[in-house]
Structures are given as C-alpha cells and as structure tokens.
C-alpha cells in the first residue's frame, strides 16, 4: 500500500457521476417498490370489497336485481368471490396475471351495465373509478406483479431446476 502524496496520484480518479444519473440509478434499483405498493393497496381494497359483498349478500343481490343482472344471487356471490380471492392473490403477488382477467371482466360488466348508461361525456368517462380499476388491472395483467411477489419467487425456482 502506497502512502503519502504519490498514493493519491497512483490510481486513476473515478469519474464523478451527475446527480440526475445517480437519482436514476437509485430509482432503477428500487423499481420493485412500485408494483409492490400498487399490489398491496389495490389488493387490500379488493379484499375488503369482496368481504363486504359476501357479508351483505342479500343487499348486493338486490342491487343486482335493480341493475337487471341475471341470476342476481349467483352473480353477486361470484362478483364478491372474485373481489375477495382476487384481492388476496394480488396482495401475495400469486397468480397475478391470471386473476387480473376475471377482475377486469367484473369491472367491465359494472361499467357496461351500471355506470355507462349514466355517462354522456368523455370527461365523465375518464373520471370513473371503474376506468381506473380496469387500467390498473390491465397494467398488472401486462406487466406482472414485480420482483417482490410469490409469482417472481416461484418463477425463479422453476428456472433453477
């Protein structure tokens, strides 16, 4: 190990990285946090929604009657089960892409039957909660659950076999 003034000049100086580059690198290394946070919040929301539907089935099946949805008790039960199970699976990041499909269908039915008949402008449409729900679920379907998920862990184990 060299000591003294010659030690400072004997190794090449590392280039100083710009602040934007360092911030970009930090955000890239932490990119797994975005999908995790989205799944946790969104999964909890749907878990609670499904729980409420299934524990107030009589009320929700009556709403389905009012909306003209066929087989209201069966439809309300199925809708609540999709929300409950889908929310739980989103929380875990397990079967994320697969479970997004029935959840999207659930929202598209809600949009078509309940909400769209009351909408008359594009502004009203894009401000609908259901449109946001479909967009988030579609993103999860396309992008997957992210690295902090059981799906990712299982895929990693399957690749190492």
């Amino acid at each position: 190990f060299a000591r003294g003034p010659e030690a400072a000049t004997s190794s090449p100086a590392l280039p100083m990285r710009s602040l934007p580059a360092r911030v970009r690198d930090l955000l890239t290394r932490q990119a797994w946090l975005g999908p995790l946070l989205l799944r946790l919040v969104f999964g909890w929301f749907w878990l609670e929604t499904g729980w409420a539907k299934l524990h107030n089935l009589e009320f929700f099946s009556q709403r389905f009657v009012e909306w003209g949805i066929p087989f209201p008790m069966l439809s309300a039960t199925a809708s609540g089960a999709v929300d409950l199970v889908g929310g739980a699976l989103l929380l875990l990041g397990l079967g994320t892409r697969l479970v997004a499909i029935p959840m999207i269908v659930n929202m598209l039915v809600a949009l078509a039957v309940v909400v769209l008949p009351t909408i008359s402008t594009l502004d009203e449409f894009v401000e609908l909660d259901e449109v946001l729900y479909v967009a988030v679920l579609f993103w999860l379907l396309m992008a997957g659950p992210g690295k902090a998920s059981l799906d990712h862990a299982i895929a990693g184990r399957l690749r190492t076999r």
Side-chain angles (χ1 to χ4, degrees):
F1 292 84
R3 296 183 186 224
E6 64 277 353
T9 60
S10 63
S11 63
L14 294 174
M16 186 58 141
R17 303 202 41 222
S18 68
L19 180 60
R22 292 192 321 244
V23 169
R24 184 192 65 237
D25 290 347
L26 173 67
L27 293 174
T28 300
R29 285 192 309 273
Q30 305 308 317
W32 60 273
L33 282 169
L36 174 63
L37 180 62
L38 178 82
R39 277 193 2 264
L40 291 177
V41 171
F42 212 56
W44 185 258
F45 169 79
W46 287 113
L47 182 85
E48 273 192 330
T49 299
W51 184 265
K53 282 181 183 175
L54 294 175
H55 281 82
N56 297 293
L57 208 47
E58 198 60 45
F59 171 78
F60 280 101
S61 64
Q62 185 55 44
R63 301 288 305 269
F64 280 43
V65 168
E66 294 166 10
W67 295 326
I69 296 175
F71 310 106
M73 183 59 84
L74 177 63
S75 297
T77 303
S79 176
V82 165
D83 292 350
L84 178 75
V85 173
L89 291 173
L90 288 180
L91 279 168
L92 298 170
L94 180 62
T96 305
R97 287 183 159 132
L98 184 61
V99 79
I101 296 167
M103 295 180 81
I104 289 170
V105 169
N106 218 9
M107 283 296 93
L108 290 176
V109 169
L111 269 166
V113 174
V114 180
V115 182
L116 286 181
T118 67
I119 299 302
S120 59
T121 69
L122 180 60
D123 283 343
E124 290 175 341
F125 176 77
V126 298
E127 292 175 2
L128 294 172
D129 292 340
E130 293 83 359
V131 172
L132 177 62
Y133 302 157
V134 170
V136 170
L137 289 165
F138 184 76
W139 183 83
L140 287 168
L141 175 66
M142 293 294 114
K147 289 182 180 178
S149 66
L150 289 177
D151 285 344
H152 184 76
I154 291 168
R157 293 237 345 141
L158 292 175
R159 277 192 297 272
T160 61
R161 288 184 172 196

